[in-house]
Amino acid sequence: MNNFKPFTLLFALIFISALTCGQKKETLAEQLGYPRDAKLLIVHADDIGLSHSVNSATIAAFEKKGINSGSIMVPCPWFPEIAEYAKNHPELDIGIHLTLTAEWKNYKWDGVLPSSEIPSLINEEGYFYASTEEVARNANPDEVEKEIRAQIERAMAFGIKPTHIDTHMGSIGATPELFKKYLKVGKEYNIPVFLPLIFLQALTSEILELVGPEQILVDNFYMISAETPGVPWNESYKQIIESIKPGLNQLILHLAIDDDEMQAITIDHSDFGAAWRQRDLDYAVSEEFKNVLKKNDIHLVTWKAIRKPLKSSSGNN
Amino acid sequence: MNNFKPFTLLFALIFISALTCGQKKETLAEQLGYPRDAKLLIVHADDIGLSHSVNSATIAAFEKKGINSGSIMVPCPWFPEIAEYAKNHPELDIGIHLTLTAEWKNYKWDGVLPSSEIPSLINEEGYFYASTEEVARNANPDEVEKEIRAQIERAMAFGIKPTHIDTHMGSIGATPELFKKYLKVGKEYNIPVFLPLIFLQALTSEILELVGPEQILVDNFYMISAETPGVPWNESYKQIIESIKPGLNQLILHLAIDDDEMQAITIDHSDFGAAWRQRDLDYAVSEEFKNVLKKNDIHLVTWKAIRKPLKSSSGNN
């Protein structure tokens, strides 16, 4: 999101209005049978496949209905474990967490494609770069396109039918040119892309034109991005949930078991550590979370469910 | 070891005698200052780098002097963790466990080289084959040579100075042509290769000629290859140690913590499971192990230590 220009937000809003005018007046909520101003929420687990610890926690959360969606990191070593689970649970809402970085100090991976085909994504040690900034500086958009296609293809070869694609560490949004590839590939595979309204602020008109009427826009997404000292975990989530507005929202959780494996992966990393992820898991499966959602009139929806009415709606345009 | 021919053992023994005649009469034990018929033993941890669990167990065993040598799997995701440790502990005897297979069901890796450069080593899912048999059927020797060079190079790039190379699941011995590459690469890098006498039985005369007088032959190697029902772990090791003969011997251990990560890696695998590896760790660091070694007059040696006299000795030939 480096190319923000002052007029872009205005342009984006006009563009979206234009899209909206051409569509039925029905909101997504109405299409799904909810009141016009319903607060819709996807409860989404990120980073699935990263480790056994993450896989175990995510499976537990799916089975206890603590989450209703999630996305998988295909290049990670534990991908086959979660792929097997996803294949055997086609009812679940599972997408691909497109991955261009390997951010942990002692635990590494590279791309699905041979490194020689994606040299701009590979550091001198032979792995993906650790940061989105390095991806922004180095990535060749055509190589990114090839790699994200390969990640989707591998997922499908393992029996996964991705309900959506999204982006690990936002690295696919590192530059407008990469973002364009994300939209392009999503369109070609006919897979919804995670596209929060706020992302549009950074897009050029050329890229905005790629956002067609079939695109599902996420009005707001929420996650705990840094622990607030003195504020208990459940209180932070309560505040987030109370702030949710009408429209389509996504709550992003990072689940894991706080065990040796996860502690070792997240060593020397300030946020998203093993204890953090265990707290996310504990909260996701808690009665308190369910109660707060209920109290705030939140309706849970999945990528799979929202895709259907939009597909038929876009077919009318 | 598929090309065993009845006359090869005889040939090998004649060949070794010929080598021996051309050398000083001193045995390796004498060169190291031990009696001529001393029983020398390397206590060696395999599979380092495979997982965090294996790394933790191996580091604990090194620090408690339960092992005095080990070798690292460079293509594995946890390689950077152990590479950092090895770099910071240059006094340790650490080699490269050349890896051509990824044998676990849900946890996978491919080569250090781009898969497009080593297609004969990569299965249709994009990972290394699971078994040595598949390596034997598919591997192109030139690709194997490139890949094992790349594994050594990556290890050195991470600051490791390998004291020896050996072979994960014996896959480098899957065919005589691969074995030739192993000897060739070891010679070119001037790194001793793990070469037990029994391996020579399978070699052709052409390959045997590659075994020069500088080569350190391991007279016998020992490991628990299947649990003997009803025999306690320490009793199995006691029997092994009591059976050790004069000459250079290597005891191969498979160390890990019996935790969630290791249990998940070794799922659906009959041997070398998490509990097995924990028993190996417990035995390695036990007083009982030290006492059994002492009682049987075993002298512990490392690849690093035995390399020196042999290098100066081969310089005289």
Side-chain angles (χ1 to χ4, degrees), chain A residues 185-241:
Chain A
V185 168
K187 188 171 277 188
E188 284 182 25
Y189 279 93
N190 193 26
I191 303 175
V193 303
F194 172 68
L195 183 54
L197 212 48
I198 200 170
F199 280 20
L200 298 184
Q201 296 179 16
L203 301 183
T204 61
S205 57
E206 181 205 7
I207 298 172
L208 276 171
E209 280 167 20
L210 291 171
V211 183
E214 79 289 357
Q215 178 60 52
I216 304 160
L217 296 174
V218 172
D219 295 290
N220 283 291
F221 73 99
Y222 307 87
M223 60 189 233
I224 293 185
S225 57
E227 194 170 355
T228 314
V231 179
W233 213 245
N234 57 347
E235 188 54 36
S236 295
Y237 275 113
K238 185 166 169 275
Q239 288 172 13
I240 285 176
I241 294 161

Side-chain angles (χ1 to χ4, degrees), chain A residues 52 74 77-81 84 105-108 110 114-117 125-127 154 158 259-261 264-265, chain B residues 52 74 77-81 105-108 110 114-117 125-127 154 158 259-261 264-265:
Chain A
H52 174 65
V74 180
W78 283 98
F79 164 72
E81 181 181 62
E84 178 77 6
K105 185 182 171 196
N106 288 326
Y107 177 68
K108 291 288 178 187
D110 56 10
S115 301
S116 50
E117 291 185 31
E125 289 185 337
Y127 303 117
R154 180 174 285 182
F158 273 76
D259 62 7
D260 283 349
E261 179 197 17
I265 289 174
Chain B
H52 174 65
V74 180
W78 284 97
F79 165 71
E81 181 181 64
K105 185 182 170 196
N106 288 326
Y107 177 68
K108 292 289 180 186
D110 57 9
S115 300
S116 50
E117 291 186 30
E125 289 185 337
Y127 303 117
R154 179 173 285 182
F158 273 75
D259 62 9
D260 283 349
E261 180 197 18
I265 289 174

Side-chain angles (χ1 to χ4, degrees), chain B residues 150-184:
Chain B
Q151 292 183 12
I152 295 168
E153 291 290 337
R154 179 173 285 182
M156 296 196 300
F158 273 75
I160 299 170
K161 292 178 182 157
T163 61
H164 61 291
I165 55 177
D166 58 20
T167 160
H168 182 54
M169 296 171 65
S171 55
I172 201 86
T175 71
E177 287 308 306
L178 300 191
F179 204 79
K180 207 166 149 181
K181 300 299 190 182
Y182 176 54
L183 296 174
K184 181 185 172 197

Side-chain angles (χ1 to χ4, degrees), chain A:
Chain A
M1 303 299 154
N2 297 323
N3 280 27
F4 177 77
K5 299 188 189 79
F7 64 83
T8 319
L9 177 59
L10 179 63
F11 182 86
L13 292 172
I14 294 169
F15 182 83
I16 295 155
S17 307
L19 286 181
T20 315
C21 289
Q23 286 186 319
K24 288 180 182 173
K25 293 255 167 72
E26 248 187 348
T27 63
L28 174 63
E30 287 169 312
Q31 287 174 313
L32 293 169
Y34 297 110
R36 184 170 183 82
D37 288 335
K39 293 181 274 187
L40 309 180
L41 183 66
I42 301 165
V43 184
H44 193 275
D46 267 25
D47 299 355
I48 319 179
L50 166 61
S51 67
H52 174 65
S53 168
V54 167
N55 289 348
S56 302
T58 308
I59 290 170
F62 267 126
E63 300 198 342
K64 292 176 181 169
K65 315 276 184 209
I67 55 173
N68 69 351
S69 186
S71 57
I72 295 177
M73 300 173 76
V74 180
C76 291
W78 283 98
F79 164 72
E81 181 181 62
I82 199 68
E84 178 77 6
Y85 181 79
K87 183 183 165 186
N88 293 333
H89 292 81
E91 73 283 6
L92 294 179
D93 192 56
I94 292 181
I96 308 302
H97 201 46
L98 298 169
T99 300
L100 303 174
T101 46
E103 70 272 35
W104 309 108
K105 185 182 171 196
N106 288 326
Y107 177 68
K108 291 288 178 187
W109 55 83
D110 56 10
V112 162
L113 285 180
S115 301
S116 50
E117 291 185 31
I118 47 169
S120 72
L121 295 175
I122 303 295
N123 69 12
E124 61 178 11
E125 289 185 337
Y127 303 117
F128 272 161
Y129 288 107
S131 69
T132 295
E133 290 68 30
E134 287 163 296
V135 173
R137 272 203 306 280
N138 295 287
N140 171 307
D142 292 335
E143 293 175 17
V144 168
E145 179 178 340
K146 276 196 300 186
E147 173 61 23
I148 65 177
R149 282 179 190 279
Q151 292 181 14
I152 295 168
E153 291 290 338
R154 180 174 285 182
M156 296 195 302
F158 273 76
I160 299 169
K161 293 179 180 157
T163 60
H164 61 292
I165 55 177
D166 58 19
T167 160
H168 182 55
M169 297 171 66
S171 55
I172 202 89
T175 73
E177 287 307 305
L178 299 191
F179 204 79
K180 207 167 149 179
K181 299 300 190 182
Y182 176 53
L183 296 174
K184 181 184 172 197
V185 168
K187 188 171 277 188
E188 284 182 25
Y189 279 93
N190 193 26
I191 303 175
V193 303
F194 172 68
L195 183 54
L197 212 48
I198 200 170
F199 280 20
L200 298 184
Q201 296 179 16
L203 301 183
T204 61
S205 57
E206 181 205 7
I207 298 172
L208 276 171
E209 280 167 20
L210 291 171
V211 183
E214 79 289 357
Q215 178 60 52
I216 304 160
L217 296 174
V218 172
D219 295 290
N220 283 291
F221 73 99
Y222 307 87
M223 60 189 233
I224 293 185
S225 57
E227 194 170 355
T228 314
V231 179
W233 213 245
N234 57 347
E235 188 54 36
S236 295
Y237 275 113
K238 185 166 169 275
Q239 288 172 13
I240 285 176
I241 294 161
E242 286 172 351
S243 76
I244 288 177
K245 295 178 192 65
L248 179 59
N249 300 278
Q250 183 160 308
L251 179 63
I252 295 174
L253 304 177
H254 296 84
L255 310 180
I257 312 293
D258 182 11
D259 62 7
D260 283 349
E261 179 197 17
M262 207 60 211
Q263 287 167 18
I265 289 174
T266 57
I267 197 169
D268 294 351
H269 202 92
S270 63
D271 298 321
F272 303 106
W276 170 309
R277 290 171 190 251
Q278 177 76 56
R279 287 196 297 272
D280 263 12
L281 171 61
D282 293 343
Y283 188 73
V285 301
S286 70
E287 279 305 307
E288 185 178 349
F289 180 40
K290 287 183 180 61
N291 292 337
V292 174
L293 291 174
K294 199 172 173 186
K295 199 174 166 192
N296 286 277
D297 291 321
I298 308 288
H299 301 281
L300 297 186
V301 293
T302 60
W303 282 99
K304 200 185 272 192
I306 59 182
R307 190 183 184 182
K308 279 188 197 163
L310 284 173
K311 273 182 83 173
S312 61
S313 151
S314 74
N316 294 337
N317 286 310

